[in-house]
Amino acid sequence: MTHPLLTDQDIETYDRDGVVLVRGLFADQVATLRDGIAANMDDPGPYASENKRAGQSGRFFDDYCNWTRIPQFRDAIETSPAAEVAADLMQSPSVQMFHDHVLVKEPGTSMATPWHQDSPYYFVEGMQTISFWSPLDPVREATLRCVAGSHRWEKDVLPTRWASEVAFFDGGDYMPVPDPEAEGMRIVEFEMEPGDAVAFNFRTLHGARGNDSPTRRRAFSLRLVGEDARYVERPGPTSPPFPGHDMQPGQRLREDWFPTLLRR
Ligand SMILES: O=C(O)CCC(=O)C(=O)O
């Protein structure tokens, strides 16, 4: 039976568009996630970054792979229906943890999140992949924006470094980063309340505006994979890098680092 937060139509939409809104996915975890983000910002991990280009205002903080050291993140992952909803949307009998990602745009942050697909940065590929992007503050302009159907594009989009826009890898066969507005692509975006989540495929092109509003825009992204996801090599170190992972192309992600959250 489909999870009560979803309709059969949502599952079709996710398959067709690579993006769908799930209202209230982390509704019961909002306070916990806000605490976790505060703990994360007080004690950033080794991958934390401040994304800024010359002349830009505000603060855009991001960090990832902290769920094993920040108990609030683990708690939210384990107590929310995220794994159940992921299994339904991906149509996968299993759901495995990949990582968590925190993205905070303080009021008056001018930097937009550039258009990108997540998959080319990662060492995992498959059609059964999902990120849940959940704001912990009401969002309007600074919400996530996704290009419908981009998860089915034949070629991956060139991954770049967010602040410098320099290519992330030297080699590889990638298409240039498109300009979805100029090219008339269908952009899907939602006004959201704390704990709502946008579910999107790792191959879905997405980005976000800066945060001109007078309130913070704290967001938690949870990245999960399904049954068909396999380790792949990229032309260079990936993001996240997971040093010493010791996996070979074609393998499933190792269970001791990327635990299975659900099996049906
Ligand atoms: O929060 C943002 O600005 C972008 C989020 C994003 O790129 C992601 O969750 O993959």
Side-chain angles (χ1 to χ4, degrees):
M1 212 184 71
T2 304
H3 192 277
L5 287 178
L6 298 176
T7 62
D8 290 346
Q9 177 73 49
D10 291 330
I11 296 170
E12 275 171 40
T13 302
Y14 189 69
D15 182 53
R16 186 193 61 229
D17 292 347
V19 53
V20 75
L21 177 66
V22 185
R23 292 266 180 220
L25 183 69
F26 294 105
D28 295 337
Q29 286 76 30
V30 169
T32 307
L33 285 170
R34 284 178 178 157
D35 278 359
I37 290 179
N40 191 169
M41 294 182 82
D42 281 351
D43 180 20
Y47 305 127
S49 63
E50 302 282 344
N51 302 284
K52 205 166 209 168
R53 296 188 186 145
Q56 285 188 318
S57 61
R59 181 180 186 202
F60 178 10
F61 167 92
D62 86 294
D63 197 2
Y64 53 28
C65 303
N66 290 302
W67 68 274
T68 53
R69 74 179 183 97
I70 296 189
Q72 293 93 331
F73 293 164
R74 184 191 288 264
D75 182 273
I77 294 163
E78 288 175 355
T79 62
S80 73
E84 294 280 347
V85 169
D88 287 348
L89 288 176
M90 294 191 290
Q91 294 287 279
S92 172
S94 67
V95 177
Q96 210 174 342
M97 182 67 195
F98 188 34
H99 64 280
D100 57 286
H101 196 158
V102 161
L103 305 111
V104 178
K105 290 188 181 184
E106 300 293 358
T109 296
S110 52
M111 187 167 152
T113 309
W115 289 105
H116 67 284
Q117 293 170 317
D118 289 335
S119 176
Y121 295 85
Y122 295 165
F123 60 40
V124 65
E125 253 181 22
M127 272 314 273
Q128 289 167 319
T129 63
I130 198 161
S131 281
F132 291 114
W133 182 90
S134 181
L136 286 320
D137 303 284
V139 280
R140 302 292 179 260
E141 283 291 296
T143 194
L144 195 74
R145 312 178 78 205
C146 294
V147 173
S150 49
H151 64 312
R152 297 198 179 275
W153 289 349
E154 271 176 27
K155 240 186 204 185
D156 282 348
V157 171
L158 178 75
T160 62
R161 295 188 186 279
W162 284 5
S164 63
E165 288 185 290
V166 168
F168 199 78
F169 302 124
D170 280 340
D173 185 19
Y174 297 104
M175 64 186 260
V177 181
D179 181 343
E181 272 162 335
E183 294 173 45
M185 295 174 177
R186 184 158 75 90
I187 299 172
V188 175
E189 60 183 298
F190 309 94
E191 296 193 343
M192 297 170 71
E193 298 306 319
D196 291 346
V198 177
F200 61 102
N201 188 290
F202 288 179
R203 296 196 74 239
T204 301
L205 190 78
H206 60 284
R209 299 181 190 86
N211 179 20
D212 277 346
S213 82
T215 50
R216 308 181 76 190
R217 195 227 59 180
R218 291 166 288 184
F220 178 75
S221 256
L222 176 62
R223 323 227 186 255
L224 307 173
V225 299
E227 194 70 16
D228 77 351
R230 293 291 181 277
Y231 173 78
V232 290
E233 279 183 348
R234 300 293 184 198
T238 57
S239 169
F242 293 107
H245 61 73
D246 202 27
M247 290 181 290
Q248 299 300 318
Q251 288 182 340
R252 296 193 60 160
L253 298 189
R254 52 186 290 180
E255 287 273 341
D256 52 347
W257 289 21
F258 307 98
T260 295
L261 302 177
L262 174 152
R263 182 168 290 286
R264 287 180 172 158

